[in-house]
Amino acid sequence: MVNNASVNYWDYLQVPKLLNLQNGLNDNNVSVDELHFIIVHQVFELWFKQVISEIKFVRDKLNVARVEEENIPIIVHHLQRVVKILTIASDHFVLMETLTPQDFLNFRSKLGTASGFQSFQMRQIELLLGLTKGERENYNHDNPIKFLYETSKHSIDGSEIVNLLEKTSTEKNLLECVLDWIYRTPIQGSGPNSDNDNDIVDEFISGYLERIKEINETQMKKLIEDGGDINVKTKFEESYNEIYDFLNAVEFNQSDSKDFKLRMKRIRAGILFIESYRNFPLVSWPRILIDSIVELEECFIKFRFNHARMVERIIGRRIGTGGSSGVDYLDETTKYRIFKDLWKIRTILLPSQNLPPLKNVNYFQFVSEVD
Ligand code: HEM
């Protein structure tokens, strides 16, 4: 037990230990450029560690049958910390860019097949957020975790890393917890256990769709009058049908159970409801929470984008040390989306003046009745 009176800066932060971790392969031959390369990577890994702990904190707060109202600002606060970390971390890539292509080539061969591809903390973040194998497969990408398992066979810490990733992949992810929470949205004041909830959700969705149709009609007429594209009618019809199918969760018809389809329909209606009536006190914090999740994913995408540009500047279009196509692969990863439904609702939202009327208005107010 340390006596508090004797605590000092370097013991508390374990600075000597920390400063002893930049020797690369312990070959006593780390150039000033290689030291820079190692430190920049280590700083990123430290931020990843904090991001993992923040996401777990948020996930656990949401992973309960009833999320207490007063916890929502706390969840938002921690999501916003992740947003800030990822934003600042993305800027770190400009530090890496002070390494010229030639500077890097001078020691690149020392890396062998080592690559950020093997950043197990990055994989943990992806798993904790809810990135699926299916999303990678949409771009014909292999599961990088499979590759990591192979690599781990030749590493002292390998089995610990594999265990960590296996444990993380069995845990509930943030996407699942957010959707569970949104599922319970009081749409027009009705909860999922209310007797006629399905009818209320249907009515809300069909009211919304009707208004989208009206707006589309007006816009389409105007475009035709102004001599717009002759295919404009088809485009509007296609866009409307896509929105209709999405809000009615049509894609879950075939292989999924009826309950699952109804659940997805309620979740999508829930997001739409929260975003639409966002100025009412009861849903204003939930709206900010949803927005913070979208912002977090946006920062994650920007992080991938900045990394890809830095890589292009330093190694051009070479094959990566991890064996991927390099920049082409990295650019494709910027297309991954985890919180798809939260993004999609943004395409559907109506202007406030066109919204279907909010029912049970008092329920959503801060002061529900005035004496
Ligand atoms: C000279 C600097 C760097 C170069 C040339 C570089 C290059 C690459 C390349 C080519 C890949 C694709 C995988 C492969 O085939 O190897 C990759 C992946 C990756 N790199 Fe870097 N990188 C650099 C610095 C960094 C830094 C500072 C970080 C910060 C942590 C980082 C994190 C990652 C991550 C997480 C991946 C996996 C991306 C994914 O699969 O989604 N890299 N890097």
Side-chain angles (χ1 to χ4, degrees):
M1 185 71 182
V2 185
N3 170 3
N4 263 357
S6 68
V7 171
N8 63 56
Y9 178 85
W10 63 83
D11 281 341
Y12 176 71
L13 295 174
Q14 305 200 37
V15 180
K17 251 195 214 165
L18 188 66
L19 298 183
N20 222 355
L21 299 173
Q22 289 73 39
N23 306 321
L25 297 169
N26 282 323
D27 58 1
N28 287 325
N29 197 16
V30 173
S31 68
V32 66
D33 290 331
E34 191 177 351
L35 182 65
H36 176 67
F37 181 83
I38 292 171
I39 290 179
V40 173
H41 275 87
Q42 288 184 343
V43 170
F44 270 103
E45 289 293 339
L46 285 175
W47 283 130
F48 287 169
K49 179 172 178 169
Q50 184 65 25
V51 166
I52 289 168
S53 120
E54 300 286 347
I55 297 173
K56 282 186 177 171
F57 176 89
V58 167
R59 188 250 341 246
D60 294 345
K61 285 262 179 269
L62 279 171
N63 191 18
V64 287
R66 185 192 158 89
V67 178
E68 296 302 332
E69 308 273 325
E70 63 266 37
N71 278 346
I72 297 183
I74 298 174
I75 293 170
V76 168
H77 176 67
H78 286 270
L79 286 170
Q80 281 299 322
R81 184 178 287 157
V82 179
V83 164
K84 301 283 182 302
I85 293 174
L86 288 177
T87 306
I88 303 279
S90 301
D91 279 350
H92 279 21
F93 288 120
V94 301
L95 288 171
M96 196 82 275
E97 283 174 350
T98 63
L99 201 67
T100 66
Q102 207 69 36
D103 291 340
F104 181 50
L105 285 178
N106 289 342
F107 64 87
R108 188 179 187 235
S109 62
K110 274 175 138 184
L111 305 182
T113 56
S115 157
F117 212 51
Q118 297 154 350
S119 167
F120 59 90
Q121 290 206 105
M122 174 73 162
R123 302 309 170 209
Q124 255 188 299
I125 294 174
E126 291 171 341
L127 285 169
L128 283 168
L129 290 178
L131 181 65
T132 58
K133 245 171 58 196
E135 184 66 356
R136 293 188 204 278
E137 283 163 5
N138 287 338
Y139 302 93
N140 299 318
H141 294 165
D142 268 350
N143 184 0
I145 295 181
K146 218 173 64 189
F147 174 67
L148 235 154
Y149 285 177
E150 280 306 310
T151 313
S152 70
K153 291 179 188 157
H154 319 287
S155 152
I156 302 171
D157 296 318
S159 58
E160 205 181 311
I161 288 166
V162 167
N163 289 343
L164 185 73
L165 285 175
E166 273 179 353
K167 183 174 170 292
T168 312
S169 60
T170 60
E171 288 174 22
K172 215 159 166 185
N173 60 48
L174 185 61
L175 172 67
E176 289 165 333
C177 296
V178 170
L179 296 188
D180 281 355
W181 168 71
I182 295 175
Y183 173 69
R184 303 192 294 264
T185 303
I187 298 170
Q188 301 287 32
S190 161
N193 296 327
S194 310
D195 284 344
N196 54 349
D197 183 60
N198 287 345
D199 296 338
I200 292 173
V201 171
D202 274 342
E203 194 190 325
F204 173 64
I205 292 176
S206 51
Y208 218 94
L209 284 166
E210 253 169 55
R211 280 164 173 77
I212 291 178
K213 213 172 210 165
E214 283 163 18
I215 289 185
N216 282 358
E217 290 286 337
T218 317
Q219 211 184 337
M220 199 167 62
K221 266 194 198 138
K222 205 164 175 331
L223 278 167
I224 293 171
E225 275 166 24
D226 290 354
D229 185 345
I230 46 161
N231 295 321
V232 78
K233 197 161 178 252
T234 320
K235 280 186 190 156
F236 272 101
E237 267 166 21
E238 280 170 6
S239 147
Y240 176 83
N241 290 341
E242 200 187 309
I243 293 172
Y244 178 96
D245 288 355
F246 175 79
L247 289 180
N248 286 292
V250 168
E251 82 262 35
F252 299 110
N253 257 347
Q254 308 295 328
S255 52
D256 303 287
S257 71
K258 189 166 172 253
D259 282 355
F260 185 74
K261 179 177 147 80
L262 284 175
R263 182 184 156 76
M264 286 314 298
K265 193 167 159 181
R266 194 172 208 291
I267 287 170
R268 289 172 178 178
I271 309 168
L272 194 59
F273 185 81
I274 293 170
E275 290 281 0
S276 297
Y277 304 101
R278 69 193 193 284
N279 291 334
F280 283 85
L282 197 76
V283 288
S284 61
W285 270 107
R287 208 280 308 176
I288 296 172
L289 196 160
I290 289 176
D291 205 44
S292 297
I293 300 261
V294 172
E295 194 179 359
L296 188 159
E297 182 156 32
E298 185 190 18
C299 289
F300 202 48
I301 297 163
K302 287 179 177 169
F303 173 92
R304 292 189 192 273
F305 178 85
N306 283 2
H307 172 260
R309 298 289 69 74
M310 175 275 294
V311 171
E312 187 174 2
R313 186 165 167 194
I314 299 183
I315 63 163
R317 296 199 166 254
R318 286 166 205 260
I319 290 174
T321 46
S324 81
S325 62
V327 173
D328 287 344
Y329 160 74
L330 294 170
D331 274 334
E332 280 168 2
T333 65
T334 64
K335 294 185 191 142
Y336 295 163
R337 291 294 178 276
I338 298 170
F339 300 94
K340 287 175 192 284
D341 293 331
L342 306 191
W343 285 101
K344 178 77 181 180
I345 290 296
R346 278 138 217 273
T347 316
I348 299 172
L349 277 178
L350 286 168
S352 313
Q353 66 273 19
N354 298 94
L355 289 172
L358 176 65
K359 296 189 176 161
N360 298 307
V361 174
N362 278 349
Y363 178 78
F364 295 94
Q365 308 272 22
F366 176 54
V367 179
S368 54
E369 275 169 41
V370 181
D371 293 327

